[in-house]
Amino acid sequence: MASVVAQRQFVSNRLIIRAREREMAFSSWSHLRLRLPHLARTQSLTVRAFSAAVMSPPSKAVVYDRQGPPDSVTRVVELPPVEVKENDVCIKMLASPINPSDINRIEGVYPVRPQVPAVGGYEGVGEVFSVGSAVKGLSPGDWVIPSPPSSGTWQTYVVKDQSVWHKINKESPMEYAATITVNPLTALRMLEDFITLNPGDGIVQNGATSIVGQCIIQLAQYRGIHSINIIRDRAGSDEVKEKLKNLGADEVFTESQLEVKNVKGLLTNLPEPALGFNCVGGNAATLVLKFLRQGGTMVTYGGMSKKPITVSTSSFIFKDLSLRGFWLQKWMSSDKTNECRPMIDYLLDRAREGKLKYEMELVPFNDFHTALDKALGKLGSQPKQVLTF
């Protein structure tokens, strides 16, 4: 009898345990069923976040792994897509020039240069291809330039933070938008930063055929300022003089024409210049100094002859001349971004009006090494080379 009771108790306990197991299982399933929509939403959000990652297209770029002769160390390669983060903008490059400073960076002789391996190029214009989720004020199709300039413009697609890009008027001529920041901005800053020039004043410069020189002539004329221009002796100098006068130059002299005791006697109805610009050095710099009036200032922004500037003691004592220097990159690194961009817009306005122009040659990106040879002077004197993508 006792065994029967014990057996019944055992069966009863098993039934109770199974009931509790079913209850717990049902409770767990109910809880899981309630959680399923949340889990599904979480999984969906995770999938959407992963799928929302924006990537740039693959890019073709001019790269160099070491510094040296540009025609030896540069090569065109394919770069893989990169992620466009929330504050990034992906730009499809339209055009970018080959500047002397670009060549110097690759050679390793420019004071500021990117770490290698690097993509060449420093300025240019592009079209917004895509934007990150947090980007404001830029949309696909907008035209932008890096402002201040930024390394790596010799490639078909560039991805950088939105703060790098300055939106410009799409009616701007593409080749001028690509080249507006380095040379024209240098000309503008030098005209404005050292002395106050008023309409009717004069300036003098050597290297007048350079793009900076041509911009100085045109910006000065636009403001009613006279320009005296010095060019080197060469074949075809008469044609060069005519070209510069068509841009607005008041006087153009070859260096040999200025081998006279009193160069100011060559000026007829022009005022003695208060400001001079030197990008050559050597004797060409001395000629600029000879034209300056009492208390005048000469600004040096280049040294193409690689010869030193020699100044007589009397020029300092009796004429009280001042010698200054200008380097655009240093100026722009002084937190000048907000100040710089309206100046670029001003210069692009002049280009659209036809009041700022200079000669350029547009070259397809696939012909990069031909353009590089021209920029290096291998094929004689050539216009500025501008790569188009």
Side-chain angles (χ1 to χ4, degrees):
M1 185 69 176
S3 62
V4 173
V5 172
Q7 185 175 4
R8 287 177 178 174
Q9 185 65 40
F10 175 78
V11 171
S12 176
N13 288 342
R14 291 292 297 167
L15 290 173
I16 292 171
I17 291 171
R18 286 177 180 175
R20 287 178 177 174
E21 287 176 346
R22 285 195 299 271
E23 182 181 352
M24 291 174 65
F26 178 79
S27 176
S28 297
W29 164 246
S30 298
H31 177 71
L32 180 61
R33 186 172 58 183
L34 290 172
R35 290 275 297 165
L36 277 176
H38 172 73
L39 292 173
R41 285 195 301 272
T42 302
Q43 185 179 23
S44 175
L45 287 171
T46 302
V47 170
R48 282 202 299 271
F50 179 78
S51 63
V54 179
M55 304 297 289
S56 74
S59 186
K60 184 181 289 187
V62 175
V63 302
Y64 54 102
D65 300 315
R66 58 186 175 87
Q67 272 124 14
D71 50 352
S72 300
V73 301
T74 57
R75 54 197 175 91
V76 179
V77 302
E78 295 282 347
L79 298 179
V82 298
E83 182 180 355
V84 181
K85 298 177 181 177
E86 63 175 7
N87 290 310
D88 287 344
V89 180
C90 175
I91 304 299
K92 181 185 184 301
M93 291 302 296
L94 299 174
S96 179
I98 303 177
N99 289 319
S101 56
D102 295 321
I103 292 170
N104 293 156
R105 286 184 180 90
I106 297 170
E107 292 170 333
V109 299
Y110 202 71
V112 177
R113 51 192 180 270
Q115 290 185 338
V116 292
V119 176
Y122 188 61
E123 66 172 334
V125 62
E127 183 177 83
V128 175
F129 181 80
S130 62
V131 299
S133 59
V135 171
K136 306 294 183 184
L138 290 175
S139 304
D142 288 342
W143 277 25
V144 294
I145 62 173
S147 176
S150 179
S151 295
T153 55
W154 291 352
Q155 57 181 318
T156 50
Y157 291 91
V158 180
V159 176
K160 292 194 177 185
D161 189 89
Q162 62 179 331
S163 62
V164 170
W165 306 106
H166 172 51
K167 182 179 175 179
I168 64 168
N169 190 325
K170 289 183 71 171
E171 295 180 2
S172 302
M174 181 184 70
E175 63 272 29
Y176 286 94
T179 58
I180 204 71
T181 305
V182 173
N183 295 145
L185 188 57
T186 294
L188 180 63
R189 293 308 337 132
M190 292 196 301
L191 283 168
E192 293 188 350
D193 283 1
F194 295 94
I195 70 169
T196 300
L197 291 169
N198 299 308
D201 287 342
I203 61 99
V204 58
Q205 67 168 339
N206 59 34
T209 58
S210 69
I211 288 186
V212 172
Q214 294 177 55
C215 290
I216 286 173
I217 291 170
Q218 294 168 87
L219 292 172
Q221 185 196 43
Y222 188 78
R223 297 170 178 215
I225 297 165
H226 303 289
S227 66
I228 302 159
N229 303 274
I230 304 168
I231 62 174
R232 61 187 175 88
D233 291 274
R234 62 178 178 181
S237 58
D238 288 339
E239 289 81 0
V240 172
K241 288 181 181 182
E242 189 65 25
K243 174 184 174 183
L244 295 180
K245 287 189 175 183
N246 287 337
L247 291 178
D250 291 274
E251 290 286 358
V252 184
F253 301 105
T254 61
E255 292 183 20
S256 62
Q257 285 181 284
L258 301 177
E259 293 174 356
V260 295
K261 187 173 182 179
N262 181 22
V263 296
K264 293 180 182 179
L266 298 172
L267 302 180
T268 51
N269 298 317
L270 296 179
E272 291 183 69
L275 184 62
F277 303 116
N278 164 52
C279 67
V280 180
N283 181 61
T286 302
L287 293 174
V288 170
L289 291 170
K290 286 183 177 181
F291 273 107
L292 290 177
R293 75 184 186 194
Q294 181 81 19
T297 298
M298 183 175 79
V299 180
T300 293
Y301 66 98
M304 290 188 291
S305 72
K306 299 183 179 178
K307 295 179 180 178
I309 298 169
T310 303
V311 188
S312 67
T313 302
S314 61
S315 294
F316 283 124
I317 296 175
F318 303 118
K319 292 185 66 177
D320 191 25
L321 298 183
S322 298
L323 303 184
R324 302 288 301 276
F326 181 80
W327 183 29
L328 182 68
Q329 183 156 338
K330 181 180 180 181
W331 181 85
M332 288 191 298
S333 66
S334 306
D335 194 27
K336 297 284 188 179
T337 300
N338 292 333
E339 189 177 341
C340 173
R341 293 179 175 182
M343 297 174 192
I344 288 170
D345 294 337
Y346 168 84
L347 292 166
L348 286 174
D349 286 344
R350 303 291 79 76
R352 283 197 303 275
E353 294 169 357
K355 298 185 183 300
L356 185 66
K357 51 192 175 184
Y358 39 86
E359 190 178 359
M360 293 172 277
E361 181 179 358
L362 303 181
V363 183
F365 185 50
N366 289 337
D367 296 331
F368 166 74
H369 281 101
T370 300
L372 180 61
D373 285 345
K374 290 183 178 181
L376 291 170
K378 291 184 177 182
L379 304 175
S381 179
Q382 299 286 334
K384 179 176 285 293
Q385 301 294 294
V386 179
L387 303 171
T388 58
F389 299 88

